[in-house]
Amino acid sequence: MQPLSLPPRLLMGPGPINCYPQVLTAMSTQLVGQYDPAMTGYMNEVMALYRQVFKTKNQQTFLVDGTSRAGIEAALVSCLEAGDKVLVPVFGRFGHLLAEIAERAGAEVHTIETTWGEVFDPQQIEDAIKEIQPKLLAIVQGDTSTTMLQPLEHLGDICRAHDVLLYTDATASIGGNPFETDLWQIDAVSVGLQKCLGGPSGSAPISMSDRFADVIRKRHHVEAGIRDAHHEDAGGERIRSNYFDLSMIMDYWGEERLNHHTEAATMLFGSRQCAIELLREGQDQVIARHKQAGDAMLSGIQAMGLQPFGDLSHKMNNVVGVHIPDNVDGEAIRHALLNTFNIEIGTSFGPLKGKVWRIGTMGYNARQDAVLHTLQSLETVLRRAGFALPSGEAVDAAMSVYGA
């Protein structure tokens, strides 16, 4: 067998993206035992780092081993008992995902929907909460399927007023867009590394408020094989998943270090470095870098004569949707970009499949040279495919955003 040899792709789609080199270096570190003091020390350090990333004082802030979907499933299956009411506002593919996971957990799921490319007004959500009276509001912040960013800053007040828990999936938005766990009174948030945090998929940082954690503790369970005399199960319904049982994972990351799984050490090292890179550069500076890169990409797309998708006043900083022109084979353009220029961009899902390209500027790739190379290459591929467009104006427009 030959050693791994992958093409040098520039990943400018909606994620995953190219990793920060420092993250890849951290992930090459040799292992130690999972209860080695060095290892548990780094686990504690990761918890402290991600409290800063999430802007929270939540004690229950740690990693769920698995992709970002693992964090979503852990939060929902651990919180929801059979018959609990859940409200999911759906404005793209990943709202449907939250609804499906909640249904699989046995919850009574209610959805409200808006047109893909739009977001919800807080009053729409509050009206639905008043009608449904759910235990939990589960909502995506940034949905890459539509490139839209749902405002969250008023939802915490609404949920507290109606005694509703608030969970959000911020996988695609954290790091590139503002996120304030405590200020916005968010009870639980889970994310992944493979977007603006600049790492690989495979670890799901999560943070939970005390009131969210208390709901989970009412279902606390200790496995028979590791139970000691002082362990007692809580009275609530046992969480249906063993692997995603956050009550047991809290024990694992807590002072007792009660065994649950073998920590994915290599992913922990990568997650740690993702947080370090974000905090070293400065969270506000990283958000500004993503906004500048996103604005430059959008300006270049518009200068090419292409039509951006959706309500631009609610567009995520880190990804732009582009209507595929009627006379253009969207997949042929994507393949030419990939095979000729080693650049990957994405299409979308559901009602937008084959109708929209999604071009990301995330993490390590939210930088000027990556934006300009993508725009120049896309212009070349479109021109060679017979699409009439002004030559050179896309790069010029993007450079103007960068002040060049």
Side-chain angles (χ1 to χ4, degrees), residues 89-107:
V90 177
F91 61 99
R93 175 201 169 177
F94 294 101
H96 287 297
L97 173 63
L98 299 189
E100 176 170 326
I101 292 173
E103 287 171 356
R104 287 173 179 251

Side-chain angles (χ1 to χ4, degrees), residues 376-392:
Q376 181 61 69
S377 301
L378 179 58
E379 177 188 307
T380 299
V381 170
L382 283 168
R383 178 175 51 79
R384 290 178 61 85
F387 182 73
L389 75 170
S391 179

Side-chain angles (χ1 to χ4, degrees), residues 2 18 48 55 73 95 112 121 136 150 167 216 248 259 266 279 292 300 346 351 362-363 367:
Q2 295 298 313
N18 301 97
K55 295 190 175 181
E73 187 148 349
I112 54 175
D121 182 270
L136 177 73
Q150 171 64 46
Y167 161 77
I216 294 171
M248 295 199 292
N259 185 263
T266 298
L279 298 171
Q292 186 177 45
M362 304 189 197
R367 62 181 200 269

Side-chain angles (χ1 to χ4, degrees), residues 52-275:
Q52 295 180 68
V53 171
F54 287 123
K55 295 190 175 181
T56 185
K57 295 179 180 179
N58 290 340
Q59 176 65 27
Q60 301 302 336
T61 301
F62 48 76
L63 306 178
V64 175
D65 288 345
T67 65
S68 51
R69 190 174 299 216
I72 298 170
E73 187 148 349
L76 295 181
V77 76
S78 297
C79 171
L80 297 172
E81 297 186 62
D84 283 342
K85 291 183 180 180
V86 181
L87 173 63
V88 183
V90 177
F91 61 99
R93 175 201 169 177
F94 294 101
H96 287 297
L97 173 63
L98 299 189
E100 176 170 326
I101 292 173
E103 287 171 356
R104 287 173 179 251
E108 178 185 319
V109 178
H110 299 261
T111 61
I112 54 175
E113 298 193 34
T114 191
T115 303
W116 287 30
E118 300 177 5
V119 297
F120 291 93
D121 182 270
Q123 190 61 54
Q124 293 174 278
I125 295 173
E126 183 168 22
D127 289 345
I129 285 175
K130 289 178 179 178
E131 177 184 351
I132 295 162
Q133 300 180 19
K135 174 181 180 178
L136 177 73
L137 171 66
I139 191 166
V140 176
Q141 185 191 28
D143 195 316
T144 51
S145 69
T146 67
T147 74
M148 294 294 105
L149 188 76
Q150 171 64 46
L152 300 179
E153 46 265 53
H154 302 296
L155 299 187
D157 285 336
I158 291 171
C159 287
R160 297 295 169 109
H162 298 282
D163 194 25
V164 174
L165 293 168
L166 172 57
Y167 161 77
T168 186
D169 165 26
T171 298
S173 47
I174 193 87
N177 305 268
F179 192 89
E180 301 275 354
T181 302
D182 288 356
L183 183 63
W184 296 347
Q185 300 181 83
I186 293 169
D187 288 299
V189 52
S190 66
V191 302
L193 306 180
Q194 72 273 20
K195 310 281 186 175
C196 303
L197 293 179
S201 178
S203 186
I206 189 169
S207 185
M208 295 171 284
S209 69
D210 287 344
R211 73 179 198 142
F212 196 91
D214 286 345
V215 168
I216 294 171
R217 285 194 185 96
K218 292 176 182 177
R219 307 174 68 188
H220 182 246
H221 167 74
V222 178
E223 293 175 18
I226 59 174
R227 183 190 300 271
D228 289 331
H230 70 280
H231 290 135
E232 294 182 6
D233 288 345
E237 178 186 275
R238 186 166 63 172
I239 292 168
R240 296 189 177 192
S241 170
N242 177 289
Y243 188 76
F244 294 128
D245 185 330
L246 287 177
S247 74
M248 295 199 292
I249 299 175
M250 285 190 282
D251 286 343
Y252 177 67
W253 283 80
E255 290 184 6
E256 192 172 6
R257 299 290 179 190
L258 195 58
N259 185 263
H260 175 258
H261 63 283
T262 301
E263 180 58 26
T266 298
M267 287 307 308
L268 182 138
F269 301 153
S271 300
R272 174 181 177 271
Q273 196 64 39
C274 287

